[in-house]
């Protein structure tokens, strides 16, 4: 979504966007890429695994969504399953603010969204078995070959995601990009700790996202799969 579209979405959500600061006269890009965001506000940069009971102020199963957008799935899930904690990662600060505002208006204390990097956060901040569910819906496909290294799902990420899931819990993925989904499916199917559910096991399910609603209206195909974390030691 373009930057003007994001600002319009913020205004519709009731968030006043300040005017942009004027660009400086100096060089705009010095070739330095900032480190990925993996720490919550107030955490030191040597923090270990995230303590979700401290984050939410209670002990409850935690499900996480990477790339929440405007929060259609996450908000509905937090309402429907109040006994669970719902943690969202969103790199776009405006989207994260929209979801926070909507959650506050709905009184959802079991939902939290942070501006964090979904790849590095999963690989570096999650303890084994800490997640009761993981949701990855319509991740950026980075279609140009030179950008493929930026894609979320690769072998290392799949291993980290599988270890973060508690045994028997599932990772749900969806994409409208056929080539990227084929790669996602291949990578996750090759991870020993995961088993792909057959369609009859997965059932007829929806991501509940605005992307899926839009794609269905236009007849655009959606590719989906569900992977379950095996019991420890059963992946061989």
């Amino acid at each position: 979504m373009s930057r003007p579209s994001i600002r319009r979405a913020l205004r519709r959500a009731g968030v006043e966007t300040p005017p942009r600061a004027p660009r400086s006269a100096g060089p705009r890009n010095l070739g330095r890429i900032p480190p990925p965001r993996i720490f919550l506000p107030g955490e030191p940069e040597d923090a270990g695994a995230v303590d979700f009971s401290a984050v939410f102020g209670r002990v409850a199963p935690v499900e996480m969504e990477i790339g929440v957008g405007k929060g259609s799935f996450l908000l509905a899930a937090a309402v429907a399953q109040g006994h669970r904690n719902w943690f969202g990662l969103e790199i776009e600060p405006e989207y994260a603010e929209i979801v926070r505002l909507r959650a506050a208006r709905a009184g959802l204390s079991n939902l939290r969204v942070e501006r964090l990097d979904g790849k590095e956060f999963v690989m570096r901040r999650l303890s084994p078995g800490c997640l009761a569910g993981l949701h990855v819906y319509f991740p950026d496909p980075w279609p140009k070959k030179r950008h493929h290294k930026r894609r979320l799902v690769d072998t290392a990420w799949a291993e980290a995601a599988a270890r973060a899931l508690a045994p028997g819990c599932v990772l749900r993925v969806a994409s409208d990009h056929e080539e990227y989904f084929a790669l996602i499916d291949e990578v996750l199917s090759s991870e020993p700790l995961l088993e792909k559910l057959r369609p009859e096991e997965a059932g007829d399910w929806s991501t509940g996202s605005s992307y899926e609603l839009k794609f269905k209206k236009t007849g655009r195909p959606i590719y989906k799969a569900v992977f379950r974390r095996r019991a420890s030691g059963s992946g061989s």
Side-chain angles (χ1 to χ4, degrees):
M1 181 177 282
S2 67
R3 188 63 52 182
S5 297
I6 293 176
R7 293 173 73 86
R8 285 196 296 272
L10 280 167
R11 287 195 294 270
R12 287 195 296 269
V15 180
E16 292 297 326
T17 56
R20 289 187 178 184
R23 292 182 183 272
S24 64
R28 296 179 184 177
N29 186 350
L30 299 178
R32 294 193 294 267
I33 300 175
R37 292 175 176 265
I38 62 170
F39 299 105
L40 278 67
E43 285 188 320
E45 293 192 359
D46 60 351
V50 174
D51 179 358
F52 284 114
S53 62
V55 170
F56 288 95
R58 69 171 189 170
V59 176
V62 177
E63 297 206 31
M64 188 169 78
E65 182 184 15
I66 297 177
V68 305
K70 288 180 282 188
S72 298
F73 163 73
L74 202 65
L75 289 160
V79 170
Q81 300 188 57
H83 63 287
R84 292 185 171 236
N85 292 330
W86 297 87
F87 191 75
L89 309 185
E90 176 51 58
I91 202 66
E92 287 285 354
E94 294 92 346
Y95 279 167
E97 186 60 30
I98 287 172
V99 181
R100 290 190 192 108
L101 178 61
R102 291 175 173 170
R105 286 175 174 171
L108 296 174
S109 60
N110 64 328
L111 188 157
R112 180 158 175 176
V113 175
E114 293 295 341
R115 188 187 175 199
L116 300 170
D117 182 285
K119 189 164 194 169
E120 292 297 322
F121 185 81
V122 168
M123 295 177 65
R124 296 166 57 183
R125 298 299 316 280
L126 298 182
S127 59
C130 69
L131 295 181
L134 181 56
H135 307 262
V136 180
Y137 300 145
F138 306 100
D140 193 328
W142 293 104
K144 294 181 180 179
K145 189 173 182 179
R146 68 177 183 272
H147 293 156
H148 284 185
K149 62 185 178 181
R150 300 186 183 185
R151 288 175 166 178
L152 173 69
V153 179
D154 59 19
T155 301
W157 184 89
E159 179 182 3
R163 293 192 181 281
L165 283 168
C169 295
V170 301
L171 162 58
R172 296 180 185 269
V173 296
S175 176
D176 63 305
H177 194 279
E178 185 175 11
E179 180 269 332
Y180 185 30
F181 181 80
L183 174 66
I184 292 173
D185 190 45
E186 178 183 356
V187 169
L188 295 179
S189 296
S190 298
E191 167 51 49
L193 287 175
L194 296 175
E195 58 177 338
K196 185 177 181 180
L197 299 189
R198 299 187 302 273
E200 58 270 25
E201 291 179 293
D204 185 18
W205 61 280
S206 169
T207 67
S209 69
S210 56
Y211 279 111
E212 181 168 351
L213 180 61
K214 178 177 69 175
F215 295 153
K216 281 185 174 180
K217 285 182 177 179
T218 60
R220 193 165 170 175
I222 300 170
Y223 310 96
K224 298 189 292 187
V226 181
F227 294 84
R228 181 168 55 208
R229 169 67 152 87
R230 299 178 188 268
S232 298
S234 65
S236 59

